[in-house]
């Protein structure tokens, strides 16, 4: 199949349907194809035998891989696996919700189901699959953006890292199809999507074409929170490799941090990620002044600075240390140079383990160093709201058990750092990342 020739013909002989004009470059319109006898002939001959394998045993996601004669109709949410050698009558229809937080029923309920329909090889097949209207000669990857909202941590952990794990191996020659299409999300992550695929993404749910692909993935592989398990990755991908990939996308200058010599007069740079509505540091100016006194060059980063990824990534990369209270902004650690340090400030409420789960455990695999600063009962604004004998202080775990971590400890709390205590912790860090 000479698909290049098909494309040229389809582009030069007729104005392609333009609802989604951007799809032109990688589509071959059936109307054009039908005019060319050789193309019709290319469908004749031995039928292609397909193959489908699914894995439903991972905690994060269900995903299926398939190859052969695949016909994908986004509008109806269906993938046809034609003449499948793996066909079994009992699972001729399989459904997958292509998102990576399988353990959260609430999130998953917002994800559209994609139906995979297999048919037996002839002569046993009684299913007539839809005819291709568009042919692609690269693999398809179908996933949902319906589960992460605007949260940067979830965008990275639930989607961008799994996308890298699933699709990077194709070197850009892969078509991404997005169900529960989130326009803002797609716009924000455009630079990364463009590095993963040279083709514009397709809004799956709105797509009326029947697209034929030689191979496809439904669902993304996800191994861990904000992480990759090289042993599970077909290509042995790592988080350090992922960070190198981001570094090239955003043209970041520093692959590695190099320890600063104290006598040289140079200062290590520290970016302080500041929050505004909850988990704010009420005395942030004093905290930053203390850190500057120690010898750091301090960069303050409010939500407005952090939200522009392409602008903020180089700022983070220019720093050696990132500090901030637990929250999605810390996800920007992915842009730190290797061997940089992340300091997570853990709010009151026995939150050490949940906080580590998101922003502690993933750190070593990224080639970064992790420190934490857990605030005391004296350093939380909750003390203005609850008496000391209240379970909020006396038995924080009872608040966890009531399912109120989010409301009480994450939404209703600001942090007032004990400046001397904080200075002590940052002084130690300064010593450990500088040389004489
Ligand atoms: C279909 O069912 C068979 C037998 O029940 C099983 O071995 C196979 O893994 C299933 N295939 C998929 C894609 O789930
Ligand atoms: C399915 O995924 C699990 C968990 O990631 C893995 O241990 C297992 O080897 C996979 N099974 C297959 C058949 O790939
Ligand atoms: C936390 O501080 C912000 C200002 O940065 C304020 O708007 C918010 O009401 C405070 N929240 C609490 C629970 O004190
Ligand atoms: C990482 O930083 C630490 C502390 O400055 C230093 O001891 C270590 O040699 C560095 N590692 C590399 C690989 O640069």
């Amino acid at each position: 199949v000479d698909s290049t020739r098909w494309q040229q013909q389809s582009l030069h002989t007729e104005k392609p349907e333009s609802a989604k004009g951007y799809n032109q470059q990688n589509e071959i319109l059936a109307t054009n194809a039908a005019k060319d006898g050789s193309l019709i002939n290319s469908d004749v001959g031995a039928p292609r035998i397909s193959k489908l394998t699914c894995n439903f045993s991972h905690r994060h996601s269900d995903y299926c891989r398939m190859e052969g004669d695949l016909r994908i109709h986004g509008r109806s949410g269906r993938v046809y696996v034609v003449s499948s050698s793996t066909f079994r009558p009992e699972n001729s229809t399989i459904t997958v919700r292509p998102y990576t937080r399988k353990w959260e029923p609430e999130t998953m309920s917002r994800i559209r189901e994609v139906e995979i329909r297999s048919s037996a090889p002839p002569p046993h097949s009684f299913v007539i699959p839809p005819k291709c209207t568009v042919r692609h000669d690269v693999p398809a990857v179908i996933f949902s953006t319906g589960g992460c909202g605007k949260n940067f941590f979830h965008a990275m952990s639930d989607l961008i890292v799994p996308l890298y794990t699933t699709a990077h191996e194709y070197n850009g020659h892969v078509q991404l199809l997005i169900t529960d299409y989130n326009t803002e999300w797609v716009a924000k992550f455009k630079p990364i999507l463009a590095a993963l695929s040279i083709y514009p993404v397709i809004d799956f749910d709105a797509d009326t074409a029947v697209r034929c692909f030689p191979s496809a993935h439904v669902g993304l592989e996800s191994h861990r929170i904000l992480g990759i398990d090289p042993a599970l990755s077909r290509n042995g991908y790592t988080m350090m490799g992922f960070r190198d990939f981001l570094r090239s996308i955003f043209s970041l200058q520093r692959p590695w941090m190099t320890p600063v010599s104290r006598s040289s007069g140079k200062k290590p740079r520290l970016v302080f990620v500041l929050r505004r509505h909850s988990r704010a540091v009420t005395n942030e100016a004093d905290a930053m002044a203390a850190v500057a006194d120690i010898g750091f060059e301090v960069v303050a980063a409010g939500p407005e600075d952090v939200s522009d990824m392409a602008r903020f990534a180089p700022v983070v990369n220019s720093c050696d240390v990132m500090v901030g209270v637990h929250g999605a902004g810390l996800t920007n650690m992915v842009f730190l140079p290797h061997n940089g340090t992340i300091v997570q400030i853990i709010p009151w409420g026995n939150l050490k383990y949940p906080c580590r789960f998101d922003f502690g455990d993933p750190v070593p695999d990224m080639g970064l160093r992790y420190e934490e600063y857990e605030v005391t009962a004296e350093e939380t604004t909750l003390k203005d709201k609850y008496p000391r004998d209240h379970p909020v202080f006396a038995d924080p775990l009872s608040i966890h058990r009531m399912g109120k971590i989010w409301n009480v400890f994450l939404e209703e709390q600001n942090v007032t750092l004990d400046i001397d205590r904080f200075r002590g912790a940052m002084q130690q860090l300064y010593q450990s990342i500088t040389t004489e």
Side-chain angles (χ1 to χ4, degrees):
V1 171
D2 181 2
S3 78
T4 315
R5 189 162 55 84
W6 286 14
Q7 289 187 26
Q8 282 169 356
Q9 285 181 353
S10 70
L11 289 175
H12 293 151
T13 55
E14 219 173 274
K15 208 172 166 201
E17 282 171 342
S18 64
K20 289 239 170 355
Y22 61 57
N23 285 337
Q24 294 161 14
Q25 49 173 284
N26 61 324
E27 282 187 357
I28 299 96
L29 297 174
T31 46
N32 296 326
K35 285 178 196 155
D36 182 329
S38 68
L39 298 180
I40 291 166
N41 289 342
S42 72
D43 272 351
V44 176
R48 294 178 75 175
I49 297 297
S50 301
K51 191 174 161 224
L52 168 68
T53 43
C54 294
N55 193 333
F56 293 97
S57 63
H58 201 275
R59 188 176 131 72
H60 284 201
S61 66
D62 294 333
Y63 55 89
C64 297
R65 301 183 66 187
M66 57 213 82
E67 57 189 47
D69 181 354
L70 311 172
R71 310 192 188 182
I72 298 182
H73 187 240
R75 185 72 159 263
S76 63
R78 289 197 187 122
V79 175
Y80 295 86
V81 183
V82 181
S83 294
S84 174
S85 62
T86 49
F87 176 80
R88 302 278 180 288
E90 67 275 19
N91 52 18
S92 61
T93 298
I94 288 171
T95 56
V96 170
R97 291 182 196 261
Y99 201 71
T100 58
R101 290 178 90 77
K102 211 173 106 181
W103 72 93
E104 280 184 2
E106 197 281 319
T107 305
M108 295 309 280
S109 71
R110 287 182 275 131
I111 307 301
R112 186 183 188 210
E113 258 180 9
V114 176
E115 201 177 274
I116 302 169
R117 294 191 171 186
S118 305
S119 60
H124 304 292
S125 177
F126 305 102
V127 179
I128 300 173
K131 282 206 157 58
C132 305
T133 62
V134 181
R135 286 177 190 274
H136 299 256
D137 57 5
V138 297
V141 173
I142 303 177
F143 66 99
S144 167
T145 51
C148 58
K150 293 182 184 178
N151 184 293
F152 187 55
F153 168 74
H154 286 299
M156 277 288 168
S157 182
D158 303 354
L159 288 173
I160 298 294
V161 171
L163 259 175
Y164 172 84
T165 310
T166 307
H168 182 57
E169 66 183 273
Y170 301 116
N171 247 317
H173 296 276
V174 58
Q175 176 65 61
L176 307 179
L177 299 106
I178 301 183
T179 182
D180 307 308
Y181 190 94
N182 176 337
T183 311
E184 244 178 278
W185 188 92
V186 172
K188 170 154 186 158
F189 291 96
K190 200 166 192 165
I192 299 176
L193 296 175
L196 286 167
S197 166
I198 61 173
Y199 308 112
V201 300
I202 290 172
D203 178 348
F204 187 68
D205 306 348
D207 189 28
T208 54
V210 177
R211 297 178 185 276
C212 292
F213 289 93
S215 66
H217 298 250
V218 177
L220 302 177
E221 275 177 56
S222 169
H223 310 143
R224 350 177 130 139
I225 299 295
L226 205 55
I228 299 170
D229 180 346
L232 288 180
S233 161
R234 276 185 310 285
N235 302 290
Y237 286 151
T238 63
M239 276 307 273
M240 287 186 69
F242 171 73
R243 291 184 350 95
D244 288 335
F245 171 70
L246 293 181
R247 198 157 46 74
S248 76
I249 294 173
F250 295 102
S251 309
L252 307 181
Q253 301 300 308
R254 298 171 75 212
W256 284 87
M257 102 167 246
T258 35
V260 168
S261 141
R262 293 187 290 274
S263 54
S264 71
K266 286 204 201 133
K267 294 177 169 191
R269 268 165 74 86
L270 177 151
V271 56
F272 210 124
V273 176
L274 304 169
R275 295 177 53 93
R276 288 290 170 246
H277 300 293
S278 60
R279 285 165 272 152
V281 177
T282 59
N283 55 347
E284 62 188 34
D286 294 344
M288 287 191 288
V291 174
D293 274 351
I294 293 167
F296 286 102
E297 184 183 339
V298 180
V299 180
E304 60 290 348
D305 306 305
V306 171
S307 66
D308 184 340
M309 183 171 52
R311 253 182 44 208
F312 192 52
V315 174
V316 173
N317 186 253
S318 74
C319 293
D320 307 294
V321 178
M322 171 179 281
V323 183
V325 181
H326 174 81
L330 294 184
T331 314
N332 286 288
M333 70 170 81
V334 293
F335 302 121
L336 280 171
H338 295 318
N339 213 23
T341 302
I342 173 97
V343 181
Q344 176 169 221
I345 299 175
I346 300 178
W348 175 255
N350 212 325
L351 298 178
K352 201 186 265 190
Y353 294 105
C355 287
R356 277 184 193 167
F357 184 68
D358 290 343
F359 299 113
D361 300 340
V363 173
D365 281 353
M366 290 195 212
L368 299 172
R369 306 190 324 142
Y370 177 71
E371 302 283 342
E372 64 193 18
Y373 180 93
E374 194 175 8
V375 309
T376 65
E378 295 304 321
E379 297 174 278
T380 172
T381 57
L382 290 172
K383 70 182 182 187
D384 306 331
K385 205 170 159 182
Y386 299 97
R388 269 316 173 79
D389 55 2
H390 190 279
V392 159
F393 292 106
D395 185 12
L397 287 177
S398 70
I399 308 288
H400 293 210
R401 285 192 296 271
M402 287 161 66
K404 290 191 169 170
I405 289 193
W406 178 260
N407 293 347
V408 175
F409 292 133
L410 295 176
E411 272 297 283
E412 286 185 10
Q413 170 166 211
N414 284 332
V415 165
T416 306
L417 294 171
D418 171 339
I419 296 297
D420 285 338
R421 179 174 178 246
F422 184 63
R423 181 189 290 117
M426 297 308 289
Q427 177 75 52
Q428 268 187 11
L429 173 64
Y430 177 81
Q431 290 297 329
S432 83
I433 67 160
T434 53
T435 60
E436 280 189 29

